[in-house]
Amino acid sequence: KKSKAYNCWLNYENCSVGEYQDFCNYIKVKSTHPIINTAIEELKFGLNKLMKKEPLILNYSPKSSYIFVGTLEDLKNEKLDVQIKNEILKEDGFAVKIVKEGDTDVLAIIGQNEKGVLYGVFYLLRAICSGNSLNEIEIEDGPYNLLRIINHWDNLNGEIERGYAGQSIFFKDNKVVEDLSRVKDYARLLASIGINGVVLNNVNVHKYETELITDKFLPDVSRIADVFRLYGIKIYLSINFAAPVEIGDLPTADPLDERVKKWWKEIVENIYRYIPDFGGFLVKADSEFRPGPFTYGRNHAEGANMLAEALKPHGGLVFWRAFVYNCMVDWRDRTQDRAKAAYENFKPLDGQFMDNVVLQIKYGPMDFQIREPVSPLFGAMEKTNVALELQITQEYTGQQKDLCYLPTMWKEILDFDTYAKGKGSTVAKVVNGSLFGMKYGGIVGVSNIGDSKSWTGHPLAQANLYGFGRLAWNPLLSPKEIAEEWTKLTFGHDEQVINTIVSMLMASRDIYEKYTAPLGVGWMVNPGHHYGPNPEGYEYSHWGTYHYADYKGIGVDRTVATGTGYTAQYKEPIASMYENIETCPDELLLFFHHVPYTHKLKSGKTVIQHIYDTHFEGAEEAKGLKEKWLTLRGKIDEEIFEMVLERLEMQIKNAIEWRDVVNTYFYRKTGIRDVHNRKIYE
Ligand code: GCU
């Protein structure tokens, strides 16, 4: 028996199933499509766990109530009276309805395609487990985003870059693992939240991984693809732009060189021989020492299009990352601004990318900090497919030791109005392609799972994976309703349990932000591993990550008037809002402005007092999380209880360390005392 921590939100326990019982003796299905078979397998499994029933699978209608499972196409041969309101469901969409066949009641699960059927099955199971009654069950639903993708930063040796939950479930000892049963369990989790693509390997493609696209590894990579395919998930690979030189025998990787084009074409053809539904490539080029088109005097459109051309005949995509910046800057030079880089590199190329290229843009202009403005590239690329890149793995947000429920942050990003086509031009509309009428679009998340017992190390970090999938499917959901849904599915229906956990999740991002870097300044972390406080850890480095704190003030002046001019990358009225210190939101003040410590925030507090207050509060609130959790002892699975408790204790230590290091740092810089005279070490 698998543990609760392992089963995540697919425990199917503690739910009342009364009203559904009658439908669950029979399942009628005609299609034998592999994904429909998966859907049936999942439905049987779920119903069996929920009601100890073994439904009979039929290809004809029984005399009493039953569940019908099929695509819109399958429905054509049925006598079911199903009305689909939206005429055609969206790609991957589904409908669940109670309908009649003569006198018989039928619970129909209809998919726009086979994947839609699978999503419909998971929806039904989720609805039952969330305690939805039969008359609330009807739905017509389709994904807001076509591409809902997880990026793994897994290396072939089994290590995961920025992984905080164990080793890779795909790779070990420079091979694909033999036993893929865990990959299947993972595919179930992902399909249940609507994910339809997975990039298997790290964006930093090292020596061995460069060969993943060759005969040496493809037989094994295709075994992974076989597992995911049954769950409607395509696989993608990160590639090394210099592969023609490193593993081919070409003297160049110049994207305009005919030999290079031919090399990639053949590589791609070979991949599709093994994996006919291969998704495509993810590319980190000319970024943090990775090779790219710049070496050959070519631009990123030329680089991306060369690969896109090779993939196009097979229906493959190129995800080309916009994380391109100079990581060798001189901290002495205050005119340099890393935040400006992505826009400067890519805006001039808008319109030059092929239609199977998707520009993958990190949510902020820097790098997954707890607080950054939204990247101005969203809304600026009007003729380019774009995807939003989020980090589910908590590199800068507590590394799955500290609790940090990220959907609250992601929702702010998705709701952010770029004003690209006037009011209402949200990031959500930009990335799903609807704002500019683009063909492809979606949301990508860097995975937070590994081979740890609970997948995510911190069991409550499962909520981030769950929330990622739900928001990628439907960005209109609220973080709170997602938290409630996840909590019920994972822990059952005890009111106290639900209220406690939801309140912990909902407060967690603010708490984390309070005890770490203040007011949008970011980067006060230990270099390299990025956990724990180090206010000047990145201050004199070459990474372009500075806050410029001195004895008078702190922050980066990114205004047009007196600073780097970054604010001009936004559309109005956003540009002016950030440019003007009066209208710049407090939480981003130090991202956009250099101010004296005595500058008054909109809250009425000075910057220095805000720093002290939030750090004392944050550390206290971290302790509060543990107190809340302790009230649940005996009410939830023991193993999970202990795992979470252990991490909450680590979080408290971390928060105290942050509080004291940051407060002392600023006290020493400024000599200004805390108005409440709390303990600040000198
Ligand atoms: C961050 C992270 C790296 C990663 C990089 C990227 O800088 O620390 O580990 O490779 O982002 O997204 O490419």
Side-chain angles (χ1 to χ4, degrees):
K1 191 174 171 268
K2 288 168 182 162
S3 71
K4 279 202 172 201
Y6 184 88
N7 289 336
C8 301
W9 53 88
L10 298 181
N11 263 305
Y12 303 134
E13 278 176 11
N14 313 320
C15 327
S16 89
V17 292
E19 302 177 291
Y20 295 92
Q21 297 262 18
D22 289 348
F23 291 96
C24 298
N25 295 319
Y26 305 102
I27 298 171
K28 177 176 174 186
V29 58
K30 286 221 175 122
S31 165
T32 53
H33 189 284
I35 296 179
I36 303 265
N37 290 345
T38 304
I40 297 295
E41 191 188 306
E42 287 296 332
L43 187 55
K44 272 172 61 182
F45 176 81
L47 296 181
N48 187 280
K49 278 201 87 179
L50 285 168
M51 16 188 135
K52 310 275 164 295
K53 273 200 180 177
E54 278 292 349
L56 276 179
I57 312 298
L58 309 172
N59 62 6
Y60 57 87
S61 302
K63 294 252 155 5
S64 56
S65 304
Y66 67 93
I67 302 179
F68 173 81
V69 174
T71 59
L72 279 175
E73 198 54 37
D74 300 335
L75 196 62
K76 288 189 179 148
N77 304 315
E78 299 297 317
K79 294 199 198 68
L80 295 177
D81 154 40
V82 180
Q83 310 282 333
I84 307 272
K85 276 194 232 90
N86 301 328
E87 273 168 69
I88 319 169
L89 288 172
K90 279 192 202 156
E91 183 165 340
D92 294 352
F94 64 85
V96 172
K97 311 238 158 182
I98 312 273
V99 294
K100 286 271 184 206
E101 183 180 43
D103 290 336
T104 313
D105 287 325
V106 180
L107 201 171
I109 303 174
I110 318 285
Q112 184 267 347
N113 55 15
E114 287 78 14
K115 265 188 280 172
V117 173
L118 181 60
Y119 299 146
V121 162
F122 279 120
Y123 161 78
L124 175 68
L125 292 168
R126 181 165 73 229
I128 298 177
C129 291
S130 309
N132 295 357
S133 69
L134 200 53
N135 52 32
E136 296 170 307
I137 197 81
E138 298 223 350
I139 193 170
E140 278 172 34
D141 197 11
Y144 194 87
N145 292 293
L146 196 60
L147 301 164
R148 307 175 297 278
I149 307 228
I150 303 281
N151 285 185
H152 284 268
W153 287 358
D154 294 20
N155 298 327
L156 264 168
N157 65 6
E159 281 168 11
I160 303 177
E161 183 156 331
R162 312 304 178 189
Y164 310 103
Q167 300 282 106
S168 173
I169 63 165
F170 305 123
F171 309 128
K172 196 182 171 181
D173 301 333
N174 293 321
K175 289 202 249 336
V176 171
V177 295
E178 268 314 305
D179 176 5
L180 295 179
S181 51
R182 184 144 192 178
V183 175
K184 182 187 168 181
D185 290 339
Y186 181 48
R188 296 183 62 224
L189 289 170
L190 294 189
S192 76
I193 50 173
I195 300 297
N196 64 0
V198 162
V199 181
L200 297 179
N201 63 307
N202 190 355
V203 285
N204 296 314
V205 183
H206 308 291
K207 183 161 171 265
Y208 293 110
E209 293 81 5
T210 301
E211 291 187 276
L212 278 169
I213 53 178
T214 68
D215 287 320
K216 184 166 169 193
F217 286 106
L218 284 171
D220 280 324
V221 172
S222 77
R223 286 196 296 120
I224 300 182
D226 292 344
V227 174
F228 278 122
R229 182 176 302 111
L230 295 176
Y231 282 87
I233 298 167
K234 284 190 181 180
I235 67 144
Y236 298 73
L237 292 171
S238 297
I239 58 107
N240 176 348
F241 198 80
V245 179
E246 288 184 25
I247 57 169
D249 46 18
L250 295 182
T252 175
D254 179 351
L256 299 193
D257 187 300
E258 288 306 321
R259 293 164 299 175
V260 173
K261 290 187 187 178
K262 181 161 169 281
W263 190 86
W264 280 109
K265 240 182 119 212
E266 285 169 8
I267 283 282
V268 167
E269 273 162 16
N270 196 38
I271 295 175
Y272 280 90
R273 270 195 283 280
Y274 287 97
I275 308 167
D277 57 351
F278 180 65
F281 294 148
L282 170 61
V283 195
K284 172 175 180 177
D286 293 313
S287 163
E288 301 184 333
F289 314 112
R290 305 315 301 156
F294 285 167
T295 313
Y296 309 98
R298 311 298 182 194
N299 69 36
H300 278 240
E302 290 166 323
N305 289 346
M306 181 271 293
L307 296 168
E309 238 165 70
L311 286 157
K312 182 128 192 180
H314 309 276
L317 302 180
V318 177
F319 283 87
W320 191 270
R321 294 178 89 223
F323 186 56
V324 178
Y325 69 99
N326 177 6
C327 64
M328 291 302 280
V329 299
D330 187 340
W331 58 268
R332 298 166 190 84
D333 177 2
R334 284 179 74 153
T335 63
Q336 294 270 343
D337 185 1
R338 170 169 163 182
K340 290 167 76 177
Y343 184 100
E344 284 176 346
N345 278 302
F346 287 95
K347 173 69 183 166
L349 302 178
D350 191 22
Q352 296 180 33
F353 290 95
M354 280 176 60
D355 69 354
N356 60 328
V357 176
V358 180
L359 189 65
Q360 183 168 313
I361 308 168
K362 288 191 182 186
Y363 70 79
M366 296 298 279
D367 194 5
F368 299 135
Q369 302 300 292
I370 187 71
R371 179 72 67 176
E372 290 185 40
V374 164
S375 168
L377 261 187
F378 295 109
M381 303 301 282
E382 303 179 5
K383 298 175 218 125
T384 307
N385 299 311
V386 298
L388 165 67
E389 182 178 317
L390 302 171
Q391 203 182 37
I392 315 172
T393 192
Q394 292 172 239
E395 176 177 2
Y396 292 101
T397 54
Q399 305 201 349
Q400 280 137 261
K401 293 186 180 114
D402 303 35
L403 183 65
C404 191
Y405 176 63
L406 293 165
T408 37
M409 178 207 282
W410 298 336
K411 179 72 173 172
E412 286 170 12
I413 296 160
L414 289 160
D415 285 350
F416 179 78
D417 197 341
T418 67
Y419 283 87
K421 283 176 91 180
K423 201 168 162 43
S425 305
T426 58
V427 169
K429 289 185 196 162
V430 172
V431 302
N432 90 336
S434 62
L435 191 72
F436 296 115
M438 300 313 299
K439 190 164 167 192
Y440 295 107
I443 306 191
V444 174
V446 181
S447 163
N448 65 345
I449 71 111
D451 69 357
S452 75
K453 274 192 176 175
S454 65
W455 299 90
T456 51
H458 197 317
L460 300 185
Q462 290 173 0
N464 286 333
L465 178 57
Y466 184 84
F468 172 81
R470 299 291 288 132
L471 277 179
W473 180 275
N474 181 5
L476 305 178
L477 295 172
S478 81
K480 178 135 188 258
E481 67 187 296
I482 295 172
E484 281 164 0
E485 202 177 271
W486 175 79
T487 306
K488 280 186 197 166
L489 298 175
T490 309
F491 294 102
H493 291 251
D494 182 311
E495 285 284 322
Q496 189 208 336
V497 172
I498 297 170
N499 293 339
T500 306
I501 295 179
V502 170
S503 76
M504 289 172 70
L505 292 174
M506 291 304 291
S508 59
R509 189 258 183 137
D510 284 349
I511 297 175
Y512 187 81
E513 183 178 22
K514 279 183 179 178
Y515 61 74
T516 56
L519 299 167
V521 85
W523 296 109
M524 292 189 162
V525 291
N526 283 308
H529 61 76
H530 298 166
Y531 190 75
N534 189 339
E536 295 191 343
Y538 276 100
E539 199 55 20
Y540 305 99
S541 72
H542 54 82
W543 295 100
T545 44
Y546 319 119
H547 52 65
Y548 303 124
D550 60 18
Y551 71 104
K552 286 186 295 200
I554 179 171
V556 191
D557 184 349
R558 293 191 158 104
T559 63
V560 172
T562 51
T564 68
Y566 166 76
T567 58
Q569 294 183 349
Y570 291 91
K571 301 253 167 30
E572 287 298 350
I574 305 295
S576 299
M577 174 183 71
Y578 289 144
E579 173 81 11
N580 183 341
I581 200 164
E582 299 303 320
T583 52
C584 181
D586 279 352
E587 69 272 12
L588 285 168
L589 184 71
L590 303 182
F591 192 94
F592 286 103
H593 298 274
H594 187 91
V595 299
Y597 296 103
T598 50
H599 173 85
K600 273 232 167 83
L601 297 171
K602 294 187 190 58
S603 65
K605 286 180 187 175
T606 61
V607 166
I608 187 73
Q609 193 56 41
H610 173 93
I611 293 174
Y612 294 152
D613 286 352
T614 50
H615 283 76
F616 284 115
E617 280 164 28
E620 277 314 299
E621 288 168 12
K623 291 183 198 157
L625 289 173
K626 178 181 160 190
E627 279 154 27
K628 284 193 172 178
W629 187 250
L630 287 174
T631 67
L632 302 183
R633 195 193 286 280
K635 292 204 144 204
I636 60 177
D637 179 74
E638 238 280 338
E639 187 185 35
I640 296 180
F641 182 84
E642 292 301 332
M643 286 198 258
V644 172
L645 187 57
E646 195 191 330
R647 281 170 178 79
L648 289 172
E649 271 154 11
M650 293 193 249
Q651 176 169 7
I652 291 172
K653 270 175 88 178
N654 188 38
I656 290 173
E657 184 71 5
W658 270 97
R659 177 195 69 194
D660 292 337
V661 170
V662 170
N663 282 347
T664 294
Y665 176 78
F666 285 107
Y667 177 67
R668 288 184 186 168
K669 282 258 159 184
T670 63
I672 302 174
R673 291 201 175 276
D674 167 34
V675 295
H676 303 298
N677 255 317
R678 287 162 294 192
K679 175 80 187 163
I680 294 177
Y681 297 85
E682 303 207 352

